[in-house]
Amino acid sequence: MARSDWNPWRRLLALPNESRTKTLVIAFLVASVCALMVSGATVLLRPIQTANRAAEEQARIETLVRGIPGMADLLEQSGGTLSTVVVNLETGRAAEDVTAETLPVTLADAANWSTLEPGEDIAGLGQRPDFAQIFLLREGEDISLVLLPMTGQGYGGRIDAIMALRGDMNTIAGVAVTNHSETPGLGGRIEEPAWQADFPGTELRGPNGDMRFSVARGEASSPYEVDGITGATRTGRGFTNMVRFWLGPEGYGPLIRAIQRGEF
């Protein structure tokens, strides 16, 4: 009498190829091995994928910022690593549920805008978004440069700009006007590199912390002023109010304090 083979693997292989049991078991085993291989590959490749996504994001950010007139040279001089973050303007902290990709959809919802009282709306905005995308340049763990988008009302209409602040959050590193409707040859000169070149080194606040930045009516006479533009007093006043608003308590004030405390 032949001895029975109790090895289940041998018994399976001994079954004819037409056996439904053999087909199902082999198919299950093959699928399991493939699933394990895919899972293993995912685990092994995850750091590479993460690094690739980070590199793509870094390239996207740098392309965006370097496309702003006047900012490319500033970034070259500053060095470091550029990153972006969406901040909650009320708290001055990184937004928990809003990213650069979802920001446009978020701001399409009127619930994510705050109405400004007349006394605090010196930039003439009417309302202010609750979230804003900013750019940070780090040297190691230290923030060396912060790029802050801002908008306000000039003489002819809306002015959009990006202001770069040094790591002390009180010294202007540069400014770029990205959009305006000011009169050509007068207020429209705010887009000229020669005027914007007067901003680097200008200080925002005095020793007691009070906001003192302004566009002068003529030539600057203090470290808190930049030269005014002849015949464009109202444009200069609008630019002053825009900067004061966005760097004040209703704008980036909470963020600036958080950075100064080393919390960002």
Side-chain angles (χ1 to χ4, degrees), residues 79-220:
T81 302
L82 187 67
S83 62
T84 185
V85 63
V86 174
V87 295
N88 182 317
L89 292 177
E90 183 176 355
T91 65
R93 302 298 180 87
E96 296 182 357
D97 302 317
V98 184
T99 65
E101 290 73 22
T102 62
L103 181 61
V105 175
T106 300
L107 295 185
D109 185 349
N112 293 317
W113 289 73
S114 295
T115 300
L116 299 169
E117 298 296 330
E120 62 192 15
D121 186 20
I122 60 174
L125 300 174
Q127 56 181 355
R128 181 219 67 190
D130 294 337
F131 304 95
Q133 182 182 11
I134 68 166
F135 303 90
L136 305 172
L137 200 67
R138 296 182 185 271
E139 293 182 0
E141 296 297 321
D142 298 327
I143 294 176
S144 60
L145 202 68
V146 181
L147 276 60
L148 304 173
M150 52 184 64
T151 187
Q153 287 296 318
Y155 172 67
R158 172 171 166 165
I159 297 173
D160 295 323
I162 289 185
M163 178 164 284
L165 300 183
R166 295 294 180 191
D168 64 0
M169 302 306 293
N170 192 53
T171 305
I172 298 176
V175 70
V177 174
T178 57
N179 181 62
H180 72 87
S181 303
E182 302 304 281
T183 307
L186 294 173
R189 292 177 56 199
I190 59 174
E191 68 180 5
E192 295 179 1
W195 185 71
Q196 297 178 21
D198 197 35
F199 279 78
T202 303
E203 297 179 18
L204 299 170
R205 297 175 178 82
N208 62 355
D210 60 320
M211 176 62 71
R212 299 181 63 178
F213 169 84
S214 68
V215 176
R217 299 192 65 173
E219 292 186 3

Side-chain angles (χ1 to χ4, degrees), residues 16-96:
N17 291 336
E18 294 79 10
S19 169
R20 178 177 297 178
T21 300
K22 183 176 181 179
T23 300
L24 292 175
V25 171
I26 294 297
F28 173 77
L29 291 174
V30 171
S32 298
V33 170
C34 290
L36 288 173
M37 293 177 65
V38 170
S39 299
T42 299
V43 172
L44 292 174
L45 293 175
R46 185 172 293 127
I48 298 175
Q49 294 170 337
T50 301
N52 287 340
R53 283 195 295 268
E56 291 173 358
E57 177 68 6
Q58 180 72 13
R60 186 187 70 80
I61 294 168
E62 293 193 1
T63 299
L64 174 63
V65 175
R66 291 179 188 279
I68 301 169
M71 286 295 158
D73 292 341
L74 182 59
L75 295 177
E76 290 292 343
Q77 296 167 8
S78 301
T81 302
L82 187 67
S83 62
T84 185
V85 63
V86 174
V87 295
N88 182 317
L89 292 177
E90 183 176 355
T91 65
R93 302 298 180 87
E96 296 182 357

